[in-house]
Amino acid sequence: MNELRKVSSNPHIRMHISTQMIMLCVIIALLPTTIFGIWNFGLHALVLILVTIASTVLGEWIFDLICKKDNTITDLSAVVTGLLLALNLPPRAPWWIGVIGGLFAIIVVNFMNPALAARCFLLISFTSIMTNFDTDTYSGATPLASLKAGESVNIYNMVIGKTAGTIGETSMIAIVAGACFL
């Protein structure tokens, strides 16, 4: 009863591992979905991923320079933000969507998940682009949109990734592989 509890800010469980190593593990965990997204949707998906990552890294470098802060691009958090944002974009989104979202994530959003906040910003700002999942390979509604409309969904196609969606959400196998790594 008389035990004192230590109250501290998060994280409550601490390890002797660097931010760079944590971010590298996240990047490795995202590789299966990234590779599958590029294989599934082609060269445009690769370009969109690279441009989005470049915009977050460059945005962080410029922001740190302007604010006279220590440069933090080597901790790989900007790379993770860019990769997460890119994997949340439709495969045929124009490259400038990745740039706008990446810069918004790094410069404006500091208090929550920057990649998902940027996705919300892009969804509100460019609704027609962000909800267009038609590609050369697959067209039609995403599985959740099909279910909402009362249509059936082919579970096998969802497992193997033969379905419409963002670059990083179409293959359940790739997502589970990354999750198992983490």
Side-chain angles (χ1 to χ4, degrees), residues 59-69 106-107 110:
E60 183 167 323
W61 182 75
I62 292 170
F63 184 77
D64 288 346
L65 191 67
I66 291 171
C67 294
K68 295 179 178 31
K69 293 172 51 178
I106 295 298
I107 295 170
N110 291 322

Side-chain angles (χ1 to χ4, degrees), residues 18 20 32 50 64 71 94 97 106 110 115 156 164 169 172 174 178:
S18 67
Q20 183 182 39
L50 293 176
D64 288 346
N71 192 316
I97 287 285
I106 295 298
N110 291 322
Y156 178 73
E169 76 175 345
M172 187 180 87

Side-chain angles (χ1 to χ4, degrees), residues 6-17 19 22:
K6 182 178 179 184
V7 178
S8 65
S9 64
N10 58 357
H12 300 294
I13 299 172
R14 298 174 192 262
M15 295 175 55
H16 297 292
I17 186 170
T19 301
I22 293 169

Side-chain angles (χ1 to χ4, degrees), residues 77-118:
S77 59
V79 174
V80 169
T81 298
L83 184 55
L84 284 170
L85 176 58
L87 293 176
N88 274 281
L89 295 176
R92 293 287 174 222
W95 63 269
W96 51 266
I97 287 285
V99 173
I100 291 172
L103 293 176
F104 179 84
I106 295 298
I107 295 170
V108 177
V109 183
N110 291 322
F111 59 92
M112 60 189 297
N113 184 316
L116 292 182

Side-chain angles (χ1 to χ4, degrees), residues 28 39 46 63 82 123 180:
I28 292 168
W39 178 79
L46 173 63
F63 184 77
L123 188 59
C180 287

Side-chain angles (χ1 to χ4, degrees), residues 4-178:
L4 295 177
R5 305 264 185 222
K6 182 178 179 184
V7 178
S8 65
S9 64
N10 58 357
H12 300 294
I13 299 172
R14 298 174 192 262
M15 295 175 55
H16 297 292
I17 186 170
S18 67
T19 301
Q20 183 182 39
M21 186 56 73
I22 293 169
M23 294 298 137
L24 184 60
C25 287
V26 172
I27 292 168
I28 292 168
L30 291 171
L31 281 179
T33 57
T34 304
I35 292 167
F36 182 82
I38 294 166
W39 178 79
N40 199 20
F41 298 114
L43 187 60
H44 186 79
L46 173 63
V47 170
L48 190 57
I49 290 167
L50 293 176
V51 166
T52 306
I53 292 170
S55 70
T56 55
V57 171
L58 186 61
E60 183 167 323
W61 182 75
I62 292 170
F63 184 77
D64 288 346
L65 191 67
I66 291 171
C67 294
K68 295 179 178 31
K69 293 172 51 178
D70 289 338
N71 192 316
T72 56
I73 61 171
T74 57
D75 73 1
L76 300 176
S77 59
V79 174
V80 169
T81 298
L83 184 55
L84 284 170
L85 176 58
L87 293 176
N88 274 281
L89 295 176
R92 293 287 174 222
W95 63 269
W96 51 266
I97 287 285
V99 173
I100 291 172
L103 293 176
F104 179 84
I106 295 298
I107 295 170
V108 177
V109 183
N110 291 322
F111 59 92
M112 60 189 297
N113 184 316
L116 292 182
R119 177 175 169 38
C120 291
F121 167 74
L122 291 172
L123 188 59
I124 292 167
S125 302
F126 307 102
T127 306
S128 63
I129 293 172
M130 293 296 292
T131 57
N132 181 6
F133 298 105
D134 290 341
T135 64
D136 294 339
T137 312
Y138 314 107
S139 62
T142 61
L144 285 177
S146 295
L147 288 173
K148 185 178 178 183
E151 301 168 8
S152 65
V153 175
N154 186 327
I155 301 296
Y156 178 73
N157 285 346
M158 288 175 56
V159 170
I160 63 169
K162 192 175 179 183
T163 186
T166 65
I167 295 171
E169 76 175 345
T170 55
S171 175
M172 187 180 87
I173 293 171
I175 293 169
V176 170

